[in-house]
C-alpha cells in the first residue's frame, strides 16, 4: 500500500499551502492577539467576534466572500492586479482560504500566552531602563514565545484540514489547489478510489496528529496551558 | 535635598496624599497596610501617574503636573527593589543582573558586575535560574540588578519581610553599605517600626 508519486505530490502541495497560510497569518494573528489581550477600547467585543467568525460561519460562506473580495473587480483583486498577480484558482488562493480559517485558532493561542505574561515583569524592565519596545522584545515576546509557536503549529494543522472555503474559493484543480482533503474528496467520487482514500486519509491523520501533539507540548512548556486549552 | 515629593495618587475610590522632603540618606515610608505605600513608590518609579503634584529627586524633576513633566520609568534612573522581586524567569541570574547594566549609559554605571557580585556575595549564583534561588538569595540578586542599572536613587519595597533573623541582618548591612559607600538616596517602604527606627534618617508616615 505504498504512496504513488501523484499522492506524494498532493502531500507536498498540502504542506506548501499550509506553511504559506501559517506564515502569512502569523503576523496578523499576533497583532490581533496583542490588541485583544492588552487594549481596552469600544468595539472590542465586535472585533473579537469578527476574528472568531471563521470558526462558526459555514466555510462555504468564507469561500464565497473570498471569491467576491478577490474577483478582478473586488477590492482584493484590484490590489493584487496592481502587483500583477492573481490568486484565483491558484495555490496562493488556497493558502489565503486556509489562513482565514486558521486565524481564530492562532489568535486564541497567542492571546492566552500574552495574557499569561506578568505585566509586573514588564514594569520591572521599564525601571531598569528599557523603553516600551525594548521591553516587548526582551520580556514580553520571549515569555510568550512558546505560546506563539503553539499557535503557529495549530494554525498549520488547521490549514492542513481546510476544505470548504478552499473548494469554494479556488476549486479543486490537480497540482494547483488539490490539497489532501480535496484529493480525498475527489478520490471518493471515483469508482475504485478506495485505496487512494485510505492512503491519503492515513497521511492526513499522521500529519494532523503530529502538529497537534507539538502544539500541546509547546503550550505546556509555556505554562499557559494550565489556564485553558485552546481547543 | 534628595527626595522632594508632593503628590496626590488615586487608587480606585481613594486619593492618597503624600508630602515629604528629605536631606539624603534613608527615608522610610511607613504606615499600616492599605495606606498606599506601594502606590507612592510606584508613582516615584513612574509606573503610576499621580493625579497631581510634583516629584523631584536630587534636583531632577521627574513629575510635575503643572509643568506637564512626566518622565517615563526608563528615563528616571531609579533602581527599584520590588516586594515581589520580579526577577525575569527566562534569564539566569547573570542575565538578570546585566539587563539594566546594558541599557544604562556608560557615564551612569558606577559599579561593575564583579563589584556587585562581591558586594552582595552572589558570585556563586550567576548561572542559576531565578526559581532555584532561596528568598534571601533572590533578594540580593534583585538589589544587585537594581544597582547595576546605574540608578540615581533606590526604592525598596519591604526589603526585610519574609526573612529569618540572619538574612535580615545581612540585608540591613547591605542597605547601610549602599547608603554609606555609594551615597545613594534610598526610599524604604516598611511596616516594621524597629527596622525603621534603626535605619531611617527621615520617617514619613502615611495614614489610611
Amino acid at each position: 500500500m505504498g504512496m504513488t508519486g501523484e499522492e506524494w505530490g498532493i502531500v507536498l502541495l498540502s504542506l506548501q499551502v499550509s506553511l504559506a497560510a501559517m506564515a502569512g497569518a502569523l503576523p496578523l494573528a499576533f497583532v490581533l492577539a496583542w490588541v485583544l489581550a492588552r487594549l481596552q477600547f469600544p468595539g472590542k467585543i465586535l472585533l473579537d467576534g469578527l476574528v472568531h467568525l471563521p470558526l462558526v460561519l459555514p466555510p462555504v460562506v468564507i469561500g464565497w466572500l473570498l471569491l467576491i473580495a478577490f474577483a478582478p473587480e473586488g477590492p482584493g483583486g484590484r490590489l493584487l492586479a496592481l502587483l500583477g498577480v492573481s490568486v484565483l484558482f491558484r495555490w496562493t488562493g488556497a493558502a489565503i482560504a486556509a489562513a482565514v480559517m486558521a486565524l481564530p485558532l492562532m489568535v486564541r493561542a497567542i492571546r492566552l500566552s500574552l495574557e499569561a505574561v506578568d505585566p509586573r515583569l514588564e514594569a520591572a524592565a521599564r525601571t531598569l531602563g528599557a523603553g516600551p519596545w525594548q521591553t516587548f522584545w526582551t520580556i514580553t515576546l520571549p515569555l510568550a514565545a512558546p505560546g506563539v509557536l503553539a499557535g503557529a503549529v495549530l494554525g498549520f494543522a488547521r490549514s492542513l484540514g481546510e476544505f470548504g472555503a478552499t473548494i469554494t474559493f479556488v476549486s479543486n484543480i490537480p497540482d494547483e489547489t488539490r490539497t489532501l482533503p480535496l484529493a480525498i474528496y475527489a478520490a471518493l467520487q471515483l469508482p475504485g478510489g478506495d485505496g487512494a482514500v485510505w492512503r491519503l486519509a492515513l497521511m492526513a491523520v499522521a500529519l494532523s496528529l503530529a502538529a497537534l501533539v507539538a502544539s500541546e507540548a509547546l503550550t505546556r512548556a509555556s505554562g499557559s496551558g494550565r489556564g485553558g486549552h485552546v481547543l | 535635598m534628595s527626595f522632594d515629593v508632593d503628590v496626590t495618587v488615586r487608587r480606585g475610590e481613594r486619593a492618597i496624599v503624600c508630602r515629604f522632603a528629605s536631606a539624603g540618606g534613608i527615608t522610610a515610608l511607613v504606615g499600616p497596610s492599605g495606606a498606599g505605600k506601594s502606590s507612592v513608590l510606584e508613582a516615584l518609579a513612574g509606573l503610576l501617574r499621580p493625579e497631581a503634584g510634583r516629584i523631584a529627586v536630587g534636583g531632577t524633576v521627574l513629575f510635575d503636573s503643572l509643568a506637564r513633566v512626566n518622565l517615563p520609568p526608563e528615563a528616571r534612573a531609579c533602581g527599584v527593589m520590588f516586594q515581589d522581586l520580579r526577577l525575569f524567569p527566562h534569564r539566569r541570574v547573570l542575565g538578570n543582573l546585566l539587563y539594566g547594566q546594558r541599557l544604562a549609559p556608560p557615564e551612569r554605571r558606577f559599579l561593575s558586575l564583579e563589584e556587585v557580585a562581591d558586594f552582595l556575595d552572589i558570585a556563586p549564583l550567576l548561572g542559576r535560574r531565578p526559581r532555584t534561588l532561596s528568598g534571601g538569595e533572590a533578594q540580593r540578586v534583585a538589589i544587585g540588578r537594581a544597582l547595576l542599572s546605574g540608578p540615581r536613587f533606590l526604592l525598596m519595597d519591604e526589603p526585610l519581610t519574609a526573612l529569618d533573623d540572619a538574612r535580615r541582618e545581612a540585608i540591613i548591612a547591605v542597605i547601610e553599605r549602599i547608603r554609606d559607600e555609594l551615597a545613594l538616596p534610598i526610599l524604604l517602604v516598611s511596616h516594621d517600626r524597629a527596622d525603621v527606627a534603626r535605619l531611617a534618617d527621615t520617617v514619613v508616615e502615611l495614614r489610611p
Side-chain angles (χ1 to χ4, degrees):
Chain A
M1 200 173 116
M3 300 262 292
T4 66
E6 192 194 337
E7 286 161 4
W8 280 115
I10 290 163
V11 171
L12 283 179
L13 177 69
S14 278
L15 293 174
Q16 180 186 344
V17 166
S18 300
L19 277 173
M22 179 189 82
L26 190 58
L28 179 63
F30 188 88
V31 170
L32 286 169
W34 190 87
V35 166
L36 289 170
R38 292 295 172 90
L39 302 184
Q40 296 299 331
F41 54 93
K44 184 172 167 175
I45 293 179
L46 193 65
L47 178 67
D48 205 5
L50 272 175
V51 166
H52 282 88
L53 214 48
L55 213 53
V56 288
L57 214 58
V60 63
V61 174
I62 298 286
W64 175 69
L65 289 172
L66 286 172
L67 205 50
I68 292 172
F70 286 98
E73 291 79 37
R78 284 189 191 171
L79 195 71
L80 289 176
L82 289 176
L83 304 167
V85 288
S86 171
V87 295
L88 291 177
F89 310 111
R90 301 292 313 277
W91 74 270
T92 42
I96 290 176
V100 171
M101 298 303 292
L103 194 70
L105 288 178
M106 295 172 79
V107 170
R108 286 173 77 86
I110 298 169
R111 181 180 177 174
L112 278 179
S113 70
L114 284 173
E115 284 172 347
V117 174
D118 191 342
R120 293 175 305 169
L121 294 175
E122 296 169 327
R126 297 291 299 275
T127 68
L128 289 164
W133 276 105
Q134 279 166 320
T135 303
F136 173 79
W137 287 110
T138 57
I139 306 296
T140 317
L141 195 58
L143 287 172
V148 174
L149 216 54
V153 177
L154 196 62
F156 175 76
R158 176 63 185 82
S159 298
L160 275 177
E162 175 28 47
F163 178 79
T166 307
I167 202 165
T168 312
F169 181 35
V170 291
S171 188
N172 189 349
I173 302 165
D175 297 327
E176 191 62 49
T177 66
R178 183 169 288 175
T179 55
L180 265 175
L182 275 69
I184 292 169
Y185 177 74
L188 277 170
Q189 313 296 310
L190 290 175
D194 288 4
V197 170
W198 269 105
R199 289 191 295 276
L200 293 171
L202 283 175
M203 196 50 139
V205 169
L207 287 174
S208 306
L209 197 60
L212 280 179
V213 167
S215 170
E216 188 64 26
L218 286 165
T219 310
R220 279 191 198 167
S222 75
S224 59
R226 271 168 291 134
H229 294 266
V230 183
L231 288 174
Chain B
M1 192 73 73
S2 62
F3 293 101
D4 187 0
V5 176
D6 181 0
V7 286
T8 306
V9 180
R10 185 157 289 280
R11 261 282 130 112
E13 296 290 292
R14 282 192 49 220
I16 300 150
V17 179
C18 182
R19 208 173 160 177
F20 65 93
S22 63
I26 297 177
T27 307
L29 194 58
V30 300
S33 55
K37 301 188 295 289
S38 293
S39 297
V40 171
L41 183 133
E42 283 185 23
L44 263 80
L47 298 172
L48 185 65
R49 190 195 168 98
E51 215 168 43
R54 187 174 180 278
I55 299 170
V57 179
T60 306
V61 177
L62 306 179
F63 176 83
D64 189 334
S65 56
L66 291 179
R68 294 182 180 277
V69 175
N70 183 24
L71 294 185
E74 63 269 23
R76 295 193 177 200
C78 66
V80 186
M81 184 194 160
F82 295 95
Q83 187 175 6
D84 49 3
L85 304 181
R86 307 190 189 184
L87 296 179
F88 302 133
H90 60 302
R91 289 168 178 253
R92 293 176 191 277
V93 168
L94 181 64
N96 270 277
L97 290 171
L98 293 179
Y99 187 88
Q101 191 195 33
R102 288 186 179 136
L103 292 166
E107 69 273 12
R108 271 215 345 247
R109 298 177 195 159
F110 52 80
L111 284 172
S112 69
L113 175 67
E114 291 71 28
E115 284 168 322
V116 165
D118 188 46
F119 186 72
L120 297 168
D121 193 22
I122 51 178
L125 309 177
L126 295 180
R128 300 256 297 269
R129 292 269 174 199
R131 75 170 79 90
T132 68
L133 301 175
S134 72
E137 289 170 340
Q139 218 149 8
R140 299 208 301 280
V141 172
I143 296 175
R145 185 176 70 169
L147 287 177
L148 279 169
S149 70
R152 286 194 281 256
F153 61 104
L154 273 188
L155 305 173
M156 304 179 110
D157 197 354
E158 301 279 8
L160 300 169
T161 48
L163 290 178
D164 58 46
D165 285 344
R167 291 288 172 208
R168 282 168 69 87
E169 286 306 315
I171 297 288
I172 286 174
V174 165
I175 293 172
E176 285 173 337
R177 284 185 67 193
I178 293 170
R179 176 191 61 192
D180 300 337
E181 295 173 30
L182 306 176
L184 283 183
I186 300 174
L187 182 80
L188 189 82
V189 167
S190 178
H191 67 264
D192 189 313
R193 300 267 166 193
D195 291 333
V196 169
R198 181 170 159 191
L199 279 168
D201 303 298
T202 310
V203 178
V204 180
E205 189 145 0
L206 218 53
R207 286 185 186 80

